[in-house]
Amino acid sequence: MNLRLPIKIFCLSIFMVITMTMFSQVRSTQRANANTGISSSNAMEYRQRFGFISVGYHSPITTGDNFMGQGLEGKSGLDFKFQIYVYKQFFLGLYSGVSYFDVKDTSVVGNYKKTTLAENYFYVGYEFLPADRIRLGVLASLFGDARFKNNFFNESANVYQKDRGKLSSFGVYFNYELSSHLMVYIDYAYRTSKTDIRVAPELNDLFERGNYHSIGVGINFALGTGDLISGFIN
């Protein structure tokens, strides 16, 4: 099944929803601030947080002419994030997650039945506050690690093989504040695993790296107020 069209339709739908919500919220915020006399700088300071803890669910979608795009099919995934604001809306974070894949073509990856991918990385990014209750963030990974656990077809025993690689991730997120310390989010990431899988030279291009999209939802729990550097200065 070609998943590129559904991915594009989904992403376009999310973009349209976010854009319309942002426009509505910006107009509402401008009217509210004009009536109450609250400046934009004071509003941003009021919404400043020290950090967040996030838990979520994501759907991995393999793509490209590589062993993941041709041989694996994404099923589900879970993730955990801890994010701290270093100065204003600049942040650092730690991501830890797991993605589950079924094998769709054993002629590509071998006689496996499923693959579990453990993902860990630090990340850096910036967050925008375009309107009341809305947070938009962009981020990129640092020092990413990927660990593949490939389970073979074997009814009598749990037989598996492990491979490792370097993980890179680029993503965006949309947060909506339900309260000052609780919010829901939608996020998207494009991830690449550069592997150390040893194969015949003619298969190097296929197994050198694996690409996949990640579309997720989850909950954020806010921690404290004020960023790290401003807290020390003040």
Side-chain angles (χ1 to χ4, degrees):
M1 176 181 180
N2 189 346
L3 294 175
R4 292 184 180 181
L5 181 59
I7 292 171
K8 291 180 180 179
I9 294 175
F10 180 86
C11 292
L12 179 61
S13 300
I14 293 298
F15 176 78
M16 292 177 62
V17 171
I18 291 175
T19 301
M20 290 186 293
T21 303
M22 284 177 55
F23 180 78
S24 176
Q25 288 290 340
V26 168
R27 293 293 300 274
S28 299
T29 300
Q30 289 175 342
R31 288 195 296 266
N33 289 347
N35 293 333
T36 61
I38 298 176
S39 66
S40 298
S41 59
N42 288 337
M44 291 181 65
E45 183 177 352
Y46 173 77
R47 296 177 64 193
Q48 182 69 54
R49 296 291 178 262
F50 179 76
F52 292 99
I53 293 176
S54 304
V55 291
Y57 168 90
H58 66 265
S59 177
I61 304 171
T62 57
T63 185
D65 295 326
N66 55 78
F67 76 98
M68 294 188 72
Q70 295 186 13
L72 301 179
E73 180 180 13
K75 301 301 292 183
S76 61
L78 301 173
D79 50 55
F80 169 85
K81 294 187 290 287
F82 172 70
Q83 182 169 307
I84 184 171
Y85 293 90
V86 179
Y87 183 70
K88 301 300 182 181
Q89 272 63 61
F90 287 98
F91 57 77
L92 293 175
L94 171 65
Y95 174 94
S96 181
V98 59
S99 296
Y100 301 97
F101 303 86
D102 282 345
V103 172
K104 65 179 180 182
D105 191 343
T106 56
S107 67
V108 175
V109 299
N111 195 30
Y112 305 146
K113 62 178 179 179
K114 60 182 179 180
T115 294
T116 301
L117 173 58
E119 309 145 314
N120 297 282
Y121 57 82
F122 292 98
Y123 62 87
V124 60
Y126 184 82
E127 188 174 82
F128 301 89
L129 305 177
D132 186 36
R133 295 184 179 272
I134 291 178
R135 296 173 180 265
L136 297 178
V138 293
L139 57 92
S141 65
L142 301 170
F143 314 113
D145 177 71
R147 301 188 182 188
F148 295 85
K149 181 179 178 181
N150 308 308
N151 291 81
F152 288 90
F153 285 101
N154 193 312
E155 297 181 357
S156 60
N158 183 20
V159 180
Y160 59 87
Q161 173 189 342
K162 290 186 176 181
D163 296 301
R164 296 189 62 174
K166 295 181 180 179
L167 179 69
S168 61
S169 178
F170 302 92
V172 295
Y173 64 76
F174 168 81
N175 290 354
Y176 185 81
E177 298 174 338
L178 300 176
S179 68
S180 60
H181 295 286
L182 179 66
M183 64 187 67
V184 293
Y185 72 80
I186 299 173
D187 66 2
Y188 165 80
Y190 180 75
R191 296 185 177 136
T192 299
S193 296
K194 186 175 182 181
T195 73
D196 59 1
I197 301 174
R198 296 181 179 180
V199 294
E202 60 271 19
L203 297 177
N204 280 338
D205 290 342
L206 184 65
F207 284 89
E208 182 180 13
R209 65 183 69 244
N211 303 325
Y212 56 105
H213 305 277
S214 173
I215 300 174
V217 295
I219 300 175
N220 286 344
F221 303 93
L223 304 173
T225 58
D227 62 78
L228 182 62
I229 292 179
S230 297
F232 280 110
I233 295 176
N234 299 330

